[in-house]
Amino acid sequence: MGRLNGKVAIITGASRGLGASHVRKFVAEGAKVVFTDILIEEGEQLERDLGENVKFFKHDVAKLSDWEEVVKETEKLFGPVNILVNNAGMSIKTSIEELSEEEYKKVIDVNQVSIFLGMKTVLPSLRKSKGGSIVNVSSILGIAGREKSIAYVASKFAVRGMTKTAALEFAKYNIRVNSVHPGSIKTELTNVAYKNQQEIEERAKQIPIPRFGHTEEVSNMIVYLASDESSYSTGSEFVVDGGLLAEI
């Protein structure tokens, strides 16, 4: 407890699932958190549940104007930002042959362009704080490919490279930038992504630690990277996948 005392964080894509887990963990560790999403009802409920140290804003992460407003409101509420967690993302699972240009670009906007906009817009606030941490949530599909995932894989590979470039540029400001690469994590969307419980169980058997990860296990990694405990880590990938990539 208290690993993020005095820190101000922005976390995107956080009304449910992994993002909501990150918000809960950050608050428990002492941070003040502005979290954003396009899912308004869930976001407002999470804000009510967690109390005065959190604030929810509707936010299209692919729009620069929305980013500017979020940063302005965060500074007004809590002060300059210490931590940015770029967690928002989406996927369209279909073949290259069937995927439309519009669908491809939508995934790129949400998963990749948003990372650029977020880092660019929050940088001045991080500099006011005399340093801080950016955590970009990628995926194991930012390290390895998968069929019927061309846009998602492209965007998550890009996040990995963008993280390294930002780490090099921001080091002089005492700002660290790292990426986190979750594998199969159990969330509200798991039952949507798989046809039935048997398919989920078969997928779990392919993982060296033969189960889906818990959201808290990813949140624990993100808290570590957000905190001063990881003060000598930047420009690196941190994988939370139960050993799946070890076999690829």
Side-chain angles (χ1 to χ4, degrees):
M1 304 292 287
R3 297 158 72 195
L4 300 178
N5 280 348
K7 306 288 189 183
V8 175
I10 294 174
I11 304 176
T12 66
S15 286
R16 66 182 181 188
L18 277 172
S21 175
H22 306 336
V23 174
R24 293 188 188 97
K25 186 70 174 177
F26 271 50
V27 171
E29 293 291 347
K32 296 183 185 297
V33 181
V34 165
F35 71 99
T36 75
D37 210 309
I38 57 172
L39 300 174
I40 298 173
E41 185 176 340
E42 293 96 325
E44 290 178 343
Q45 182 61 56
L46 184 60
E47 180 185 321
R48 288 191 292 270
D49 291 344
L50 294 178
E52 63 183 4
N53 288 327
V54 301
K55 180 65 177 177
F56 168 74
F57 290 104
K58 182 177 181 292
H59 176 199
D60 181 344
V61 292
K63 287 186 177 180
L64 177 60
S65 59
D66 276 23
W67 272 106
E68 291 170 340
E69 185 68 17
V70 166
V71 174
K72 182 180 76 174
E73 292 300 321
T74 300
E75 290 193 336
K76 188 184 300 182
L77 284 166
F78 299 135
V81 179
N82 306 104
I83 303 159
L84 168 63
V85 180
N86 280 311
N87 177 76
M90 66 167 294
S91 179
I92 298 174
K93 191 173 182 180
T94 190
S95 68
I96 296 171
E97 186 177 16
E98 296 174 342
L99 187 69
S100 71
E101 179 183 1
E102 181 180 24
E103 289 171 328
Y104 181 88
K105 288 180 176 178
K106 183 177 181 180
V107 174
I108 296 299
D109 280 346
V110 173
N111 293 3
Q112 178 182 339
V113 174
S114 69
I115 303 291
F116 163 70
L117 294 177
M119 294 193 296
K120 179 180 178 67
T121 309
V122 176
L123 176 60
S125 194
L126 287 166
R127 292 181 65 181
K128 290 178 189 176
S129 298
K130 308 300 182 184
S133 175
I134 297 174
V135 184
N136 295 326
V137 180
S138 179
S139 166
I140 57 170
L141 298 187
I143 298 174
R146 180 176 295 167
E147 65 179 354
K148 295 187 176 181
S149 301
I150 186 68
Y152 187 80
V153 169
S155 65
K156 294 302 186 179
F157 262 77
V159 169
R160 185 175 160 212
M162 294 163 71
T163 295
K164 293 181 182 296
T165 296
L168 295 173
E169 292 191 15
F170 294 176
K172 62 188 175 186
Y173 305 126
N174 193 33
I175 297 167
R176 298 176 296 104
V177 190
N178 292 287
S179 58
V180 172
H181 300 259
S184 295
I185 309 298
K186 180 73 171 177
T187 70
E188 297 95 329
L189 297 178
T190 301
N191 290 332
V192 176
Y194 293 87
K195 295 176 183 177
N196 50 50
Q197 184 61 32
Q198 182 179 353
E199 192 172 273
I200 293 172
E201 292 171 0
E202 289 300 316
R203 174 61 176 168
K205 290 176 183 177
Q206 299 171 17
I207 304 170
I209 298 176
R211 63 171 174 82
F212 278 41
H214 305 302
T215 56
E216 294 83 0
E217 292 172 307
V218 182
S219 297
N220 288 339
M221 178 66 77
I222 289 180
V223 166
Y224 167 70
L225 293 172
S227 76
D228 296 334
E229 296 168 13
S230 57
S231 56
Y232 200 55
S233 296
T234 195
S236 294
E237 301 93 353
F238 291 80
V239 178
V240 188
D241 74 341
L244 189 61
L245 286 179
E247 294 190 323
I248 292 178

